[in-house]
Amino acid sequence: MSTYRVAQVTEPDGAFELVEREVPRPGPGQVRIAVEACGICHSDALFVSGGLPGVSFPEVPGHEIAGRVEELGEGAAERGLQLGDRVAVGWFGGSCGHCTPCREGDFIVCRNLKVPGWAYDGGFGEQVIAPVDALARIPEGLAASDAGPMACAGVTTFNGLRRSSARPGDLVAVLGLGGLGHLGVQYAVAMGFETVGIARGAEKADFAKQLGAHHYVDSTSGTPVAEALQSLGGARVVLATAGNSEAITATVDGLAHRGELVVIGADTAPLGISPAQLLMTGRVVRGHPSGTSQDVEDTMAFSALHGIRPMTEPVRLEQAGEAYGKMLSGAARFRMVLTMG
Ligand SMILES: [Zn+2]
Ligand SMILES: [Zn+2]
């Protein structure tokens, strides 16, 4: 094969078009991956809209990539890669190695983080060139269409919880039951937390229970979310997966003393939190930035061990535009995943 297909947009928020391109060669320290599946994440909109500095068009988004190594660049074999290896590439698409966070070994907050779809063409296509340090090995038994979403949605929730102050038995609330939250609930349960799912509407209660949640809080019931959490004893951690500042703010008074609000849902509106809500109780509010390729590997291993899977809706690459639109409008029930081949 000398050409491959990508779904690209040629202008900010333009329509997706399918084009043929010449298959690129991996450079030193890179591999070429035959993409098998790529999840569609809400963050792809940051690139498709051209809203971030450095985004260039034509733009090929996609940072929930799963596939097989098909060609090794110089030095890749020395770093343990073989042809045919099953690998995933997520939001962490490699780091620069020379900025201050990198020199501190904190690669996920690299100032020049190489996010696929931003630093290089992403996974909305049949081939991707990625640096070796971005690759996470996919365990046996985990399908490509499940591995892709693990590399962003999965690792962000898994890592957000395991790096939090919550310990087994603690009350942990997951705000939102969407692409991130439905994984967050499953991880929280498997990690041994008393788990609360929070979402809009009484009809989501069954879904929360299906995911293993011990409690469900309907944020539209009339009872404030904070009050509902306090009646359960107060949350040690709230993992805020919903990209809705108002909904996130409403959980703060539901935190226990020294409780922690971990924000992973993106919104640009300010959080309406007063110092008084934090001071006396020693509460903490912080953001959590996804995870490195090793974290992705840990996420996939944990998921395989505990039978945790994302709920996905596979669609063909040809339908990228339609699927992206469905994700953006909130009409997608599950994680939309593009499949190739
Ligand atoms: Zn993402
Ligand atoms: Zn760096």
Side-chain angles (χ1 to χ4, degrees):
M1 184 172 69
S2 58
T3 64
Y4 74 110
R5 299 178 308 160
V6 297
Q8 66 179 25
V9 291
T10 53
E11 56 181 17
D13 284 327
F16 276 89
E17 58 178 31
L18 211 61
V19 295
E20 295 253 337
R21 287 191 187 175
E22 197 105 323
V23 172
R25 306 293 308 274
Q30 299 178 330
V31 297
R32 180 166 57 80
I33 300 166
V35 180
E36 292 172 345
C38 184
I40 303 179
C41 177
H42 208 276
S43 302
D44 288 324
L46 296 170
F47 313 124
V48 174
S49 68
L52 285 179
V55 174
S56 60
F57 290 85
E59 153 70 20
V60 181
H63 57 265
E64 294 192 348
I65 305 163
R68 282 176 199 278
V69 174
E70 213 168 58
E71 188 178 354
L72 302 171
E74 192 192 320
E78 288 75 8
R79 291 164 77 170
L81 271 300
Q82 288 185 353
L83 295 181
D85 281 352
R86 298 181 71 222
V87 292
V89 181
W91 180 259
F92 180 86
S95 59
C96 76
H98 57 76
C99 70
T100 302
C102 279
R103 293 173 69 199
E104 291 172 349
D106 198 356
F107 304 110
I108 190 61
V109 286
C110 169
R111 286 183 193 146
N112 311 297
L113 192 71
K114 299 172 191 169
V115 181
W118 192 5
Y120 50 87
D121 286 339
F124 283 28
E126 293 164 330
Q127 303 282 332
V128 156
I129 302 279
V132 168
D133 67 323
L135 308 181
R137 286 179 189 281
I138 302 173
E140 284 277 317
L142 196 64
S145 57
D146 290 335
M150 294 281 174
C152 178
V155 69
T156 303
T157 50
F158 175 77
N159 234 18
L161 288 168
R162 75 169 176 169
R163 302 256 195 265
S164 78
S165 57
R167 294 295 171 261
D170 285 348
L171 191 76
V172 168
V174 177
L175 173 67
L177 294 175
L180 293 167
H182 85 287
L183 285 165
V185 168
Q186 295 183 74
Y187 290 132
V189 171
M191 288 177 188
F193 305 136
E194 184 179 350
T195 304
V196 188
I198 309 170
R200 298 175 59 85
E203 70 283 357
K204 301 250 177 73
D206 285 345
F207 181 49
K209 294 283 160 69
Q210 222 179 301
L211 295 168
H214 304 101
H215 312 279
Y216 176 70
V217 170
D218 169 12
S219 61
T220 65
S221 72
T223 306
V225 168
E227 206 175 288
L229 290 176
Q230 286 300 347
S231 73
L232 293 168
R236 171 65 40 205
V237 164
V238 170
L239 183 71
T241 73
N244 179 329
S245 293
E246 204 180 317
I248 295 171
T249 301
T251 67
V252 172
D253 283 333
L255 290 168
H257 59 281
R258 305 266 177 212
E260 198 182 7
L261 172 60
V262 180
V263 179
I264 59 176
D267 191 358
T268 50
L271 295 172
I273 302 169
S274 75
Q277 288 175 283
L278 307 176
L279 281 166
M280 300 287 283
T281 50
R283 289 169 178 151
V284 174
V285 178
R286 66 175 179 85
H288 171 77
S290 193
T292 64
S293 50
Q294 181 60 52
D295 294 318
V296 173
E297 213 163 292
D298 293 349
T299 302
M300 293 192 292
F302 187 87
S303 303
L305 187 67
H306 290 275
I308 295 170
R309 298 288 183 275
M311 297 177 109
T312 60
E313 187 179 332
V315 289
R316 310 276 308 162
L317 177 64
E318 293 85 336
Q319 296 160 304
E322 208 175 290
Y324 175 79
K326 199 168 164 186
M327 179 283 299
L328 211 55
S329 71
R333 182 81 182 80
F334 301 120
R335 197 66 158 185
M336 308 293 291
V337 179
L338 299 178
T339 57
M340 326 293 163

